[in-house]
Amino acid sequence: MSPLANHPFWKMNGAGNAIVVVDLRASSHVVTADEARAIAADPASVFDQMMVLHAPRTPGTEAFIRIYNTDGSQAGACGNGTRCVAWVLTEGTDRTTLVVETRAGLLACRRLGPAAFSVDMGEPKFGWQDIPLAEEFRDTRAIELQIGPIDDPILHSPSAVSMGNPHAIFWVDDPFAYDLPKIGPMLENHPIFPDRANISLAAVKAPDHIVLWVWERGAGITRACGSAACAALVAAARTKRTGRAARVTLPGGELFIEWRDDNHVIMIGPTELEHEGVFSPSLFADAA
């Protein structure tokens, strides 16, 4: 039987981004892709990302976190999920700061209120090899990629950046005027992105306000994506569309993003506990 049978979990959201948190710090079990897909398929534990806590690898951190997408693949970073983890680890205590580790590095979290947290998402990466892209682009503020006819493309010239995950941001007047559920999968899996990519449609409404709609790699349309919000702000600032701080409005809520002078990107946003539960053993009957 899977060690996850009857194991507790927290069902949460960060600005509408559906999150499940599982604490396996006392276990050596590593969740399989099949187990992750089974958990995501259950209405009680459906998620965009699942944050699985393991014993710390680095002194001074609370946990090493594996991040699973709906399709069972793993992500390098999830800002909304990290805030939910910070809530789980500080709720009912007097702690206001902690550091966790993901594949993308160390993330410092700070509790700002009952449900509000900041996360230091680290430094953005702009080199084509670091994003990564399949071919060299000396300037990733706008790469050669388009959807539609050559002489009249539907979308073109996205900015590319890594915030622990690869992101492509297309600049548009109205993100919701496009059929992102249709074009998102094509762009996510475009050959230019060897590790696939998160696809964002971004509209700059003011020097300090971005409206964003995101197709997440491995998860599809989500109500919010923290790393995409960070990527959009950084790309907007690089292309002189905004300053270095802005609120980012997503279908599920708002995040505040600041690209500090020390090159670190800070995200501030809400968390919400929806319910606590335990995984039914029947979920894992067919999971390997």
Side-chain angles (χ1 to χ4, degrees):
M1 181 178 292
S2 169
L4 296 176
N6 298 311
H7 195 87
F9 67 89
W10 292 263
K11 177 68 169 65
M12 303 186 68
N13 77 77
N17 197 175
I19 303 295
V20 163
V21 180
V22 184
D23 189 352
L24 292 182
R25 287 178 294 174
S27 170
S28 61
H29 181 66
V30 175
V31 176
T32 67
D34 284 344
E35 288 173 331
R37 286 190 289 267
I39 292 168
D42 186 347
S45 55
V46 63
F47 63 81
D48 299 322
Q49 277 76 42
M50 179 168 64
M51 313 294 288
V52 182
L53 281 60
H54 296 276
R57 294 182 176 180
T58 302
T61 63
E62 296 296 320
F64 177 81
I65 304 173
R66 285 188 171 90
I67 305 170
Y68 293 82
N69 297 312
T70 305
D71 67 356
S73 63
Q74 292 191 40
C78 176
N80 291 321
T82 300
R83 292 200 315 278
C84 292
V85 168
W87 182 91
V88 167
L89 295 178
T90 59
E91 182 66 9
T93 77
D94 58 1
R95 297 190 61 187
T96 58
T97 62
L98 71 156
V99 178
V100 296
E101 184 176 7
T102 73
R103 203 168 69 195
L106 304 184
L107 303 177
C109 309
R110 181 180 296 275
R111 188 163 197 156
L112 305 176
F117 291 80
S118 70
V119 179
D120 183 341
M121 295 290 288
E123 301 185 34
K125 296 179 180 178
F126 306 119
W128 69 273
Q129 309 99 318
D130 300 321
I131 292 171
L133 303 175
E135 59 186 77
E136 180 178 359
F137 287 92
R138 294 187 178 182
D139 187 351
T140 53
R141 288 175 294 184
I143 66 171
E144 295 178 18
L145 174 62
Q146 66 181 39
I147 291 290
I150 293 177
D151 56 348
D152 188 22
I154 298 170
L155 294 169
H156 64 89
S157 308
S159 300
V161 59
S162 172
M163 282 302 311
N165 301 318
H167 291 270
I169 303 97
F170 290 88
W171 305 105
V172 299
D173 292 331
D174 178 5
F176 305 102
Y178 297 82
D179 191 353
L180 187 56
K182 179 179 179 180
I183 61 182
M186 294 186 291
L187 289 166
E188 173 193 352
N189 294 284
H190 192 282
I192 197 64
F193 304 118
D195 292 344
R196 301 187 293 166
N198 296 267
I199 307 300
S200 293
L201 304 181
V204 175
K205 298 299 185 181
D208 61 353
H209 185 209
I210 300 170
V211 175
L212 197 65
W213 198 22
V214 184
W215 174 275
E216 284 201 60
R217 176 185 65 166
I221 294 290
T222 56
R223 290 176 55 76
C225 177
S227 63
C230 294
L233 180 277
V234 167
R238 285 187 84 206
T239 55
K240 310 300 183 185
R241 288 177 164 89
T242 67
R244 294 176 69 94
R247 62 188 175 98
V248 180
T249 301
L250 300 119
E254 283 198 343
L255 301 170
F256 179 79
I257 312 296
E258 180 183 7
W259 185 16
R260 294 190 317 207
D261 291 340
D262 66 0
N263 201 34
H264 281 240
V265 181
I266 307 301
M267 176 187 58
I268 297 174
T271 62
E272 180 184 8
L273 174 66
E274 296 179 4
H275 62 262
E276 298 180 40
V278 296
F279 295 127
S280 168
S282 63
L283 287 180
F284 311 109
D286 298 321

